[in-house]
């Protein structure tokens, strides 16, 4: 299970300059360049200190693209909006446009910064849909969760009680241990769950 809860909190605290946008992995995002354009200019779309894509108005051409975004970024429309397709977790950061007036020296205008955070919803996997154990035996179920940021994992027992953590251990199984167990994962952006049915075989143990 990925463990990124604290780094995620720190990320939002660090990037407190402007609006935060949360988007799912694989989705599409646009950023508006909210500046006034001079007659001739050089436009840099930035992620922090990295140039994502560079546009030159004189010949209406893209002159450079970051290797991190090759094939996934474009300049859209008259307002030179940045479009990013197939978002990745590693795309996260602060985005802004920087417009350089080519008619003057060192004259540039930057747009407001927007922070992008890219997440995945939890995917839960269990090794069994049904498990058989002899009465008096021990059982260990491991719930494998893939998500970003990491998820809080909860097990719900057949009697309605709950326990936390991705591993569920049952000692000295009895007939009362039988039933359906549910593993749930929640990371604030979605919830995933899977079920396993426990069958206790043999014996006449009820407590």
């Amino acid at each position: 299970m990925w463990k990124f809860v604290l780094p995620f909190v720190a990320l939002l605290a660090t990037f407190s300059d402007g609006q935060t946008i949360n988007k799912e992995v694989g989705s599409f995002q646009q950023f508006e360049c909210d500046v006034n354009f001079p007659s001739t200019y050089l436009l840099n779309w930035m992620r922090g200190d990295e140039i994502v894509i560079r546009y030159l108005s004189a010949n209406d051409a893209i002159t450079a693209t970051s290797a991190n975004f090759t094939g996934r970024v474009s300049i859209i429309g008259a307002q030179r909006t940045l479009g990013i397709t197939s978002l990745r977790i590693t795309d996260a950061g602060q985005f802004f446009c920087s417009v350089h007036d080519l008619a003057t020296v060192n004259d540039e205008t930057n747009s407001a910064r927007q922070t992008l955070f890219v997440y995945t919803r939890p995917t839960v996997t269990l090794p069994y849909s049904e498990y058989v154990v002899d009465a008096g035996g021990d059982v260990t179920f491991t719930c494998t969760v893939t998500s970003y940021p990491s998820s809080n994992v909860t097990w719900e027992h057949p009697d309605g009680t709950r326990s936390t953590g991705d591993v569920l251990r049952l000692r000295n199984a009895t007939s009362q241990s039988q039933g359906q167990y549910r593993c749930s994962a929640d990371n604030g952006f979605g919830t995933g769950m899977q079920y396993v049915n426990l069958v206790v075989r043999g014996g006449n143990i009820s407590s």
Side-chain angles (χ1 to χ4, degrees):
M1 184 173 68
W2 299 353
K3 299 184 182 298
F4 290 116
V5 172
L6 291 180
F8 167 60
V9 174
L11 176 72
L12 294 186
T14 300
F15 293 157
S16 59
D17 182 63
Q19 178 188 8
T20 297
I21 301 167
N22 298 316
K23 299 289 287 192
E24 190 168 7
V25 161
S27 61
F28 174 73
Q29 175 60 30
Q30 289 188 178
F31 295 99
E32 302 294 332
C33 188
D34 55 351
V35 302
N36 294 319
F37 294 100
S39 56
T40 58
Y41 59 91
L42 175 67
L43 166 68
N44 288 324
W45 265 108
M46 309 291 296
R47 180 182 65 170
D49 296 329
E50 174 189 14
I51 298 175
V52 174
I53 192 169
R54 173 173 283 173
Y55 169 83
L56 186 62
S57 68
N59 55 4
D60 190 28
I62 304 298
T63 62
T65 303
S66 166
N68 294 319
F69 293 90
T70 299
R72 297 189 299 121
V73 291
S74 59
I75 300 292
I76 303 171
Q79 199 57 32
R80 308 312 178 201
T81 298
L82 172 66
I84 309 176
T85 63
S86 304
L87 285 173
R88 304 169 182 172
I89 290 173
T90 53
D91 292 340
Q94 281 192 325
F95 288 81
F96 64 98
C97 67
S98 181
V99 177
H100 300 252
D101 187 346
L102 298 181
T104 61
V105 178
N106 297 325
D107 187 5
E108 65 180 50
T109 304
N110 294 339
S111 69
R113 298 179 182 232
Q114 299 181 74
T115 299
L116 174 67
F117 181 79
V118 185
Y119 65 89
T120 62
R121 300 174 189 268
T123 300
V124 177
T125 305
L126 288 173
Y128 316 102
S129 59
E130 182 172 276
Y131 188 83
V132 180
V133 64
D134 291 330
D138 296 338
V139 179
T140 299
F141 294 131
T142 300
C143 187
T144 302
V145 179
T146 302
S147 68
Y148 188 83
S150 63
S151 296
N152 294 318
V153 181
T154 304
W155 284 93
E156 183 174 329
H157 301 225
D159 62 2
T161 60
R162 295 175 182 268
S163 57
T164 59
D166 52 351
V167 178
L168 174 63
R169 293 184 175 90
L170 304 174
R171 308 294 187 188
N172 190 27
T174 72
S175 59
Q176 291 184 344
S177 306
Q178 290 193 127
Q180 192 174 68
Y181 292 78
R182 183 182 71 186
C183 176
S184 301
D186 189 326
N187 71 346
F189 295 100
T191 302
M193 62 184 66
Q194 287 291 338
Y195 298 85
V196 58
N197 188 55
L198 177 64
V199 176
V200 179
R201 179 177 55 193
N204 188 26
I205 303 173
S206 60
S207 61

